[in-house]
Amino acid sequence: MVRVPGDGWKRRLAVLALDRVEPLMYRKALLPPFSMRRFIGEARWDVGGSDFRNNGRHFAEKLHDAGLDACSRVLDIGSGCGRLAIPLTELLSAQGSYTGLELSPPLVQWCSEHLTPRYPNFRFVQCDLKNPLYNPAGAGDARTYTFPFQDGAFDLIVATSVFTHLLPEIALRYLHECARVLASGGRLFATFYFIDQTVQSRESSLRFEHAFGENARVDDLARPEAGIGFRLEWVLQQADKANLRLDPPVRFGTWSGRKDGYSGQDVLILHKKR
Ligand SMILES: C[S@@+](CC[C@H](N)C(=O)[O-])C[C@H]1O[C@@H](n2cnc3c(N)ncnc32)[C@H](O)[C@@H]1O
């Protein structure tokens, strides 16, 4: 069982029970354990995984807006427990490829054991970085991390609900690394919380009440990685410095109370300048 930060013993017990019972109920489903789905932020007690599957399909379809085709070479940063990888097995052909880069060893292990044997063009790489929430036992420093891939190796990079957990210095480093490993003209599809948006929704538990440096805000100063929002202009300026330019428009999400959001979080599609 993967331990979810912040869960008390009663929740841990319930999650443990579901980790044991669910595989008996859904024998044939390609579904990661309940605790892993909670770990990557599936908030509801979604027994059977319909939210997990719907959210994965939602993002996989959106990737067509960033040029996904059957032959794309896709890098998924913070690939979690395969929420995107699973639907991409139906959209990528054997000529395409998928690489997941993820901090948490058990999630990488689950994906490697359950997906790679069936889809050999899908591989999962663990990055041994320290993160107080996602990988407390890790060793490396994400602020200086070099992705273990060659320059120009990917056509499309995806980061769903990942920059929303990266401290500003790490986000900068990751923008530069994304640009390096993207092929010329390739695209980055990344989600954010842009704090310039007025939060109107009462449903959203995010308020970003505390400033975190000049360009970011968080809800919990003790655990900034739990959810971090950036100023849109700052992200676009830093992306530009990294050689990544916006494919307009900025695709605002529903998290801030918009009714007509593109997705839950705000989305940028950036292309690597030629
Ligand atoms: C909210 S989850 C989203 C997972 C996945 N992208 C999805 O949409 O299902 C964030 C994921 O990013 C990973 N992560 C956090 N910091 C990271 C980093 N510096 N490098 C790579 N992965 C990271 C976490 O371990 C976690 O699995």
Side-chain angles (χ1 to χ4, degrees):
M1 174 185 144
V2 176
R3 196 164 160 177
V4 179
D7 270 2
W9 71 268
K10 283 186 190 164
R11 281 192 178 188
R12 287 217 295 279
L13 208 60
V15 169
L16 177 65
L18 282 166
D19 266 6
R20 298 276 161 83
V21 169
E22 236 188 3
L24 305 174
M25 295 166 68
Y26 304 94
R27 281 172 196 278
K28 291 192 180 152
L30 187 52
L31 187 65
F34 188 85
S35 62
M36 292 190 186
R37 293 173 358 236
R38 262 180 78 70
F39 180 85
I40 59 124
E42 287 288 347
R44 292 196 320 136
W45 289 78
D46 167 37
V47 179
S50 57
D51 286 356
F52 176 83
R53 270 188 285 273
N54 290 339
N55 290 334
R57 273 192 218 116
H58 164 82
F59 278 118
E61 287 301 328
K62 294 286 186 199
L63 293 185
H64 289 115
D65 294 342
L68 175 77
D69 68 34
C71 300
S72 295
R73 297 167 297 165
V74 178
L75 170 64
D76 186 9
I77 297 172
S79 48
C81 54
R83 188 163 61 167
L84 184 62
I86 291 169
L88 282 183
T89 59
E90 292 173 16
L91 298 179
L92 289 175
S93 71
Q95 282 69 49
S97 66
Y98 170 98
T99 303
L101 181 67
E102 167 59 43
L103 290 186
S104 170
L107 276 62
V108 172
Q109 188 183 347
W110 187 89
C111 289
S112 300
E113 287 178 5
H114 290 82
L115 289 167
T116 306
R118 288 163 74 166
Y119 307 98
N121 54 339
F122 280 59
R123 66 179 175 143
F124 298 86
V125 177
Q126 199 247 335
C127 42
D128 183 26
L129 303 172
K130 190 171 182 64
N131 181 294
L133 294 187
Y134 291 109
N135 195 23
D141 185 344
R143 293 173 301 181
T144 53
Y145 183 56
T146 300
F147 294 172
F149 311 115
Q150 291 187 342
D151 297 4
F154 299 99
D155 309 305
L156 175 58
I157 301 182
V158 192
T160 52
S161 199
V162 176
F163 281 94
T164 51
H165 300 280
L166 298 184
L167 303 187
E169 276 181 276
I170 302 174
L172 283 187
R173 176 72 183 176
Y174 272 44
L175 283 175
H176 282 267
E177 279 301 288
C178 285
R180 181 181 67 76
V181 302
L182 266 181
S184 177
R187 292 192 178 89
L188 167 63
F189 179 108
T191 71
F192 295 87
Y193 296 120
F194 290 127
I195 50 176
D196 334 59
Q197 301 298 297
T198 309
V199 177
Q200 298 155 356
S201 170
R202 286 175 183 232
E203 288 162 26
S204 173
S205 58
L206 295 161
R207 288 283 178 276
F208 295 119
E209 281 172 351
H210 306 285
F212 191 82
E214 286 181 10
N215 299 301
R217 297 187 75 82
V218 299
D219 269 332
D220 185 349
L221 281 170
R223 298 189 323 148
E225 298 87 352
I228 186 159
F230 295 124
R231 279 198 317 113
L232 169 61
E233 277 313 311
W234 179 75
V235 173
L236 292 177
Q237 278 165 10
Q238 301 309 320
D240 196 63
K241 286 184 193 162
N243 206 28
L244 296 169
R245 183 157 297 157
L246 177 69
D247 278 2
V250 174
R251 294 158 165 89
F252 291 109
T254 54
W255 72 275
S256 55
R258 285 172 181 258
K259 296 280 179 273
D260 57 347
Y262 175 79
S263 187
Q265 298 176 358
D266 304 318
V267 173
L268 293 184
I269 299 178
L270 302 162
H271 67 268
K272 180 171 174 175
K273 290 182 255 175
R274 291 177 194 273

